Amino acid sequence: MHKRWAFWFSGLTIALVAFASFGPLARGVAARTWATVSNGDTGDNVYTVQAMLKQRGYSLTVDGDFGPGTLSAVKSFQSSKGLSADGVVGPNTWEQLVVVVRSGDNNIVVNALQRQLRKHGHSLTVDGDFGAGTLSAVKSFQSSKGLGADGIVGADTWAALTGNASGGGGSTRADLARTIRDSSRIALATIHTSGVSDSATARQNIVDTANGGAARRSSYGNAPGGSVNLAASLLNGMITLSQSWSYSVSEIAGGSHSANSRHYAGVAVDVNVINGSHVSASHPNQQSFRNKCANLGATEVLGPGDSGHSTHIHCAWPRP
């Protein structure tokens, strides 16, 4: 009898220890929000996936462009881990793929880390060397996200760096606008292309939205005045575009456009500078930028070659 009780108590103790050891981890994994990365995507999240695969021994080009080579490597990795080999990098794949980096490391994954930190507004040289500057930026980022600021980049930190990159995961319009407002890769004009300065500039539109309000429209020329809520589709698109290019926004809901312009419906953005160069017919990125807008759901994409759009790209999503 005593032996049976001893055996039962021993089993209960082991179970409790196991729960204490693995319970918080399981809850932590469930709480992580990962971006979904798949064939055709570009940007820092793709670069991160490629860098981690490269570090794990897969042969592929690390260029931020999810093409056939990356797709093949992802499927191979998924198969090796017993995952569904669909080529889509979602939460289950990220959890297996993560490479932990820390101070003193020097490799391609640190390059990816530095690119991610720059995306979140930290000024760093992307050189693959996890030195004092990178350590300071990591700790600052971790603190801003309520993580333990230990400077070690594990799954929680990678999830915070990459998750919701396209604005998904239930983010509100204010959340998305704050991401745009704080991005080092999106410059927002503080005056209209006409030279008029009012409370409906691109920057003020984003600031007002970030504060939970509506974006104001201009009251000159064809502009109707009043205000409009910026669409989540527009805000998501702007964030995703910034993963591939740095760019400047000349107009969102303000300025004088055609009377029925989608700008006034809160679903359009005008971009006049990409990667530091003004938009023109000869700009090396203008066509790929336009293509990406269309891939992100914009149904009205105009630029050089289209009347009135020789110096900027107009991306507009469907009206609400």
Side-chain angles (χ1 to χ4, degrees), residues 184-186 241-242 244-248 273-276 289:
S184 63
R185 296 174 63 81
I186 305 175
L241 287 165
S242 73
S244 299
W245 303 276
S246 59
Y247 62 89
S248 296
V273 176
I274 302 173
N275 287 349
F289 192 97

Side-chain angles (χ1 to χ4, degrees), residues 15-270:
L16 288 172
V17 170
F19 177 80
S21 300
F22 296 106
L25 176 60
R27 289 193 297 274
V29 170
R32 294 180 193 131
T33 300
W34 294 98
T36 298
V37 184
S38 58
N39 191 29
D41 287 345
T42 60
D44 291 329
N45 283 352
V46 176
Y47 188 98
T48 298
V49 168
Q50 293 170 327
M52 290 179 175
L53 287 166
K54 188 83 168 180
Q55 188 67 16
R56 289 181 175 275
Y58 289 84
S59 178
L60 75 165
T61 301
V62 182
D63 58 2
D65 187 357
F66 200 130
T70 302
L71 180 62
S72 176
V74 168
K75 287 183 175 181
S76 177
F77 173 78
Q78 289 171 325
S79 293
S80 75
K81 297 299 181 180
L83 302 171
S84 175
D86 59 3
V88 177
V89 183
N92 292 334
T93 302
W94 276 114
E95 293 288 341
Q96 297 287 332
L97 182 61
V98 159
V99 174
V100 177
V101 290
R102 65 196 73 206
S103 183
D105 287 345
N106 192 320
N107 56 47
I108 190 69
V109 179
V110 177
N111 273 66
L113 167 65
Q114 291 165 332
R115 287 171 62 115
Q116 291 285 357
L117 288 166
R118 283 174 62 89
K119 182 180 76 179
H120 286 278
H122 295 272
S123 179
L124 287 171
T125 299
V126 179
D127 58 5
D129 184 6
F130 200 134
T134 301
L135 178 62
S136 176
V138 167
K139 288 183 175 180
S140 174
F141 176 79
Q142 289 172 325
S143 293
S144 74
K145 298 299 180 181
L147 304 172
D150 57 5
I152 299 172
V153 185
D156 286 337
T157 303
W158 279 118
L161 285 164
T162 61
N164 289 334
S166 63
S171 296
T172 66
R173 290 186 305 104
D175 291 332
L176 300 175
R178 283 192 286 269
T179 297
I180 294 169
R181 180 196 64 192
D182 299 338
S183 174
S184 63
R185 296 174 63 81
I186 305 175
L188 301 165
T190 57
I191 192 169
H192 297 296
T193 55
S194 63
V196 173
S197 180
D198 60 16
S199 58
T201 62
R203 178 157 188 81
Q204 195 60 50
N205 284 166
I206 292 299
V207 168
D208 287 342
T209 303
N211 291 335
R216 281 169 280 194
R217 298 180 295 213
S218 294
S219 299
Y220 69 91
N222 291 324
S227 61
V228 64
N229 288 323
L230 299 185
S233 56
L234 164 71
L235 300 171
N236 279 322
M238 290 176 65
I239 293 170
T240 303
L241 287 165
S242 73
Q243 295 173 35
S244 299
W245 303 276
S246 59
Y247 62 89
S248 296
V249 175
S250 55
E251 300 287 3
I252 302 179
S256 178
H257 310 275
S258 60
N260 197 37
S261 172
R262 293 196 205 180
H263 283 286
Y264 304 137
V267 294
V269 61
D270 285 349

